[in-house]
Amino acid sequence: DQDPHMRLTRDIAEKHKLILPSSTYNKFMRSLSGSAKMSKSEPQNMMTLNDEPKEAAKKLMRAFTGGRNSVEEQKKLGGEPAKCVVYDFLLYLLEEDDAKLKKRFDDCRSGRIICGDCKKDVAEKLTKFLEEHQRKKKKCMAVAAKTLEKGAF
């Protein structure tokens, strides 16, 4: 909603031969229920980097998917990864390899993978990601505490 203001500011800056300001645009992940962006007002439908890895995996297993009403229908018609919160986790966070991401997308659309199997795989990736993140955070927090104790900032 700030884009028109940024455009106006850039136009004015350009006319006065000033450095053009820039802006950053972010896309928010949907809540685990598939509705609006994640929010603290619905803790069961959001994920944080501080969540216990096993609890985060349980939340992900309950997340909204782009799956069909039955396994048979999913295999026949394929899934809809564009509607799937679980796929969003791969897209935004857990899969760096574009070829693997495309394969997962194609496997979902064709019905070669069903939501339950996909959720299990993504939950494992999420668990590993959070364990590693929290390990690194703990290490950094110790360094930050020492820095603050010394007053060396």
Side-chain angles (χ1 to χ4, degrees):
D1 59 341
Q2 298 301 313
D3 185 62
H5 302 287
M6 282 303 301
R7 290 173 187 260
L8 176 62
T9 303
R10 288 178 63 85
D11 289 346
I12 293 168
E14 189 173 45
K15 286 179 185 175
H16 294 282
K17 298 187 185 332
L18 299 171
I19 296 171
L20 300 181
S22 61
S23 60
T24 302
Y25 297 89
N26 300 298
K27 182 171 179 161
F28 293 102
M29 286 184 70
R30 292 175 281 190
S31 75
L32 296 175
S33 68
S35 61
K37 68 181 182 178
M38 289 191 198
S39 169
K40 290 188 282 185
S41 66
E42 296 181 34
Q44 72 279 8
N45 288 327
M46 65 171 274
M47 195 79 66
T48 74
L49 293 172
N50 292 325
D51 281 348
E52 288 295 323
K54 288 182 181 180
E55 185 58 35
K58 286 179 186 177
K59 285 182 181 180
L60 189 92
M61 293 300 290
R62 294 187 302 263
F64 180 79
T65 67
R68 303 295 178 163
N69 292 327
S70 68
V71 172
E72 295 77 26
E73 190 176 343
Q74 176 99 9
K75 288 181 177 181
K76 181 181 176 185
L77 301 174
E80 298 177 274
K83 295 180 179 180
C84 182
V85 174
V86 177
Y87 181 78
D88 287 352
F89 273 86
L90 288 172
L91 180 65
Y92 296 131
L93 182 67
L94 299 173
E95 186 55 72
E96 294 181 14
D97 186 325
D98 288 344
K100 288 180 182 178
L101 190 62
K102 182 175 181 340
K103 181 175 181 347
R104 178 64 59 105
F105 184 91
D106 293 342
D107 286 350
C108 177
R109 294 275 308 190
S110 69
R112 284 190 297 267
I113 189 167
I114 58 172
C115 296
D117 294 338
C118 184
K119 280 183 173 183
K120 286 177 191 171
D121 181 49
V122 176
E124 285 178 25
K125 289 177 184 289
L126 178 64
T127 299
K128 288 177 186 174
F129 173 84
L130 288 174
E131 287 171 349
E132 180 69 11
H133 169 76
Q134 291 171 7
R135 183 189 64 74
K136 288 178 181 178
K137 179 183 174 185
K138 187 174 182 180
K139 185 178 175 182
C140 289
M141 293 299 286
V143 172
K146 286 179 186 177
T147 303
L148 289 172
E149 285 173 9
K150 294 177 185 177
F153 50 88

